[in-house]
Amino acid sequence: MAGEKTGLQLLDFWVSPFAQRCRIALAEKGLAYESLPQDLSNKGELLLRVNPAFPGTPPLLPADPFARAHARFWADYAEKKVFDCGTTLWKRTGQAQAQARPEMVEALRTLDAELGDKAYLAGEAFGFVDIAVVPFATWFLGYGRLAEFSVEEVCPRLLAWAKRCGERESVAKNLYPPEKVYEFIGYLKDTYGDK
Amino acid sequence: MAGEKTGLQLLDFWVSPFAQRCRIALAEKGLAYESLPQDLSNKGELLLRVNPAFPGTPPLLPADPFARAHARFWADYAEKKVFDCGTTLWKRTGQAQAQARPEMVEALRTLDAELGDKAYLAGEAFGFVDIAVVPFATWFLGYGRLAEFSVEEVCPRLLAWAKRCGERESVAKNLYPPEKVYEFIGYLKDTYGDK
């Protein structure tokens, strides 16, 4: 397949289940593409450009396999539970919105319990899981107002943790105040929410 | 940050938790990048080029939200359980490899039970979850030989399902015979496995 119609290029590897998924899906959709077989033991310029790696920089994930899996689990939890449930809160109305309320409270309580008395979700030092979860913290205020619960009562340790994370320059410079995020949630609701 | 050293460009959106994660991680790694703010209600050429969508093609995921979540769950299961455990089987030796054996058997039994008497993991018709899981089926023979179990005994329904999937042109043209995959696993073991 020449790919002249779609412009799609697949960085391909014959036996990779991930490449195979793409090939099957493209075939099911009838989309032409250009297969670019990759040498994974000697990565080419295009593969490295779209998957850049910077081995000289500080690693964000822990070295220990169990700790890595743990960090990924909680990053995934925030993404799947907190974000998806939050979207239901601003986007939907009635029954769907009402069901999302206890789910959000439960998700925040679970994250609060996971943090416990640790300084960071990653442990003593700020790490991958903190980076992955802290952006959602700027949305908590909005979630609490939409679902009419007190974030301070539901997840007090998580709020203290978010403030602690905010003392790092990397976080302080790249997040926005919860009030500004709440204004944005109002815009989302007005523009894209169910009427 | 001008991004002249790394060439990194971030398709950015100020309040998105996903963009915020990237910005914090880049700051922690001290990597310069060019922030390219995106209008998500009117997506630009670059954003569409790296995230192409083809609304005129057959949808792969079901329309029902519960069914979509279900399909994503089992796609994720195959990826996290079967693939990761399979990697341990060919890469590691001794205790680590021995521990992965019952885990693989359990994962395949679980997938077999989930399939049950359905024609496809997606139900009556081939769908997203079948596309996501069937590439791993070509690796089952190799996993069984490495871990010394009979795939036919552990997951007979899953093998029949893989064969059924293989009757589709999209699958038949894009997967390789299990024996050829097993040869490749031998190469992986010899080249990258623990000695």
Side-chain angles (χ1 to χ4, degrees):
Chain A
M1 287 184 265
E4 56 276 324
K5 279 183 194 165
T6 62
L8 291 173
Q9 295 182 313
L10 180 65
L11 300 180
D12 212 350
F13 187 65
W14 66 278
V15 75
S16 161
F18 305 100
Q20 288 170 328
R21 283 176 169 181
C22 296
R23 296 200 302 265
I24 299 170
L26 288 161
E28 287 286 333
K29 284 186 169 279
L31 292 166
Y33 63 97
E34 186 183 4
S35 167
L36 303 173
Q38 301 298 302
D39 179 353
L40 298 181
S41 62
N42 181 23
K43 296 181 181 174
E45 190 271 330
L46 181 57
L47 185 58
L48 288 172
R49 182 147 52 85
V50 294
N51 294 284
F54 297 95
T57 58
L60 301 176
L61 276 165
D64 174 65
F66 179 80
R68 291 166 79 91
H70 185 267
R72 288 191 169 120
F73 175 87
W74 289 106
D76 201 48
Y77 185 89
E79 195 171 318
K80 300 247 169 77
K81 291 276 181 180
V82 178
F83 189 72
D84 287 1
C85 192
T87 301
T88 304
L89 284 177
W90 68 252
K91 201 181 179 81
R92 309 295 302 279
T93 56
Q95 184 71 1
Q97 195 199 43
Q99 281 177 346
R101 183 191 184 282
E103 278 179 41
M104 178 60 84
V105 168
E106 176 64 24
L108 295 181
R109 282 212 175 107
T110 303
L111 278 171
D112 196 73
E114 167 55 25
L115 175 67
D117 296 324
K118 293 181 293 188
Y120 296 101
L121 286 165
E124 290 310 304
F126 180 87
F128 175 89
V129 62
D130 300 290
I131 295 175
V133 179
V134 75
F136 297 99
T138 60
W139 293 65
F140 290 171
L141 174 79
Y143 295 150
R145 287 193 187 158
L146 281 169
E148 298 177 351
F149 66 84
S150 159
V151 182
E152 289 79 5
E153 280 171 27
V154 167
C155 54
R157 290 174 294 191
L158 212 52
L159 287 183
W161 157 84
K163 203 174 164 190
R164 202 173 303 128
C165 292
E167 289 163 10
R168 294 181 77 83
E169 194 184 331
S170 67
V171 176
K173 283 200 169 170
N174 289 298
L175 297 185
Y176 288 82
E179 285 290 351
K180 191 167 158 65
V181 177
Y182 178 64
E183 269 176 43
F184 179 75
I185 294 174
Y187 158 79
L188 284 177
K189 194 170 175 58
D190 291 347
T191 314
Y192 302 103
D194 291 351
K195 294 297 175 294
Chain B
M1 288 185 266
E4 57 276 323
K5 278 183 196 168
T6 62
L8 291 173
Q9 295 182 313
L10 180 66
L11 301 180
D12 211 351
F13 187 66
W14 65 278
V15 75
S16 161
F18 305 100
Q20 288 170 330
R21 283 176 170 182
C22 295
R23 297 201 302 265
I24 299 170
L26 287 162
E28 288 286 333
K29 283 186 168 280
L31 291 167
Y33 63 97
E34 185 183 4
S35 167
L36 303 173
Q38 302 298 303
D39 179 353
L40 298 181
S41 62
N42 181 22
K43 294 179 182 176
E45 189 271 330
L46 181 57
L47 185 58
L48 288 173
R49 183 147 51 87
V50 294
N51 294 283
F54 298 94
T57 58
L60 302 176
L61 276 165
D64 174 66
F66 179 79
R68 291 168 79 91
H70 185 267
R72 288 191 169 120
F73 175 86
W74 289 105
D76 200 50
Y77 186 89
E79 194 172 317
K80 301 245 169 78
K81 290 275 179 179
V82 178
F83 189 72
D84 288 1
C85 192
T87 302
T88 304
L89 284 177
W90 68 253
K91 202 183 179 80
R92 310 294 302 279
T93 57
Q95 184 71 2
Q97 196 198 43
Q99 281 178 345
R101 184 192 183 282
E103 277 178 42
M104 178 60 84
V105 168
E106 176 65 23
L108 295 182
R109 282 212 175 106
T110 302
L111 279 171
D112 196 73
E114 166 56 24
L115 175 66
D117 296 323
K118 292 181 293 187
Y120 296 101
L121 286 165
E124 290 311 303
F126 180 86
F128 174 90
V129 61
D130 300 290
I131 296 175
V133 179
V134 76
F136 297 100
T138 61
W139 293 66
F140 290 172
L141 173 80
Y143 296 150
R145 287 193 187 157
L146 281 168
E148 298 176 352
F149 65 85
S150 159
V151 182
E152 290 78 7
E153 280 171 28
V154 167
C155 54
R157 291 174 293 192
L158 212 52
L159 288 184
W161 157 85
K163 206 174 160 188
R164 201 174 303 129
C165 292
E167 290 164 10
R168 293 182 77 84
E169 193 184 331
S170 67
V171 176
K173 283 199 170 170
N174 289 297
L175 297 184
Y176 288 83
E179 284 291 350
K180 192 167 156 66
V181 176
Y182 178 64
E183 269 176 43
F184 179 74
I185 293 174
Y187 158 80
L188 284 176
K189 193 171 176 59
D190 290 345
T191 315
Y192 301 105
D194 291 352
K195 295 294 175 291

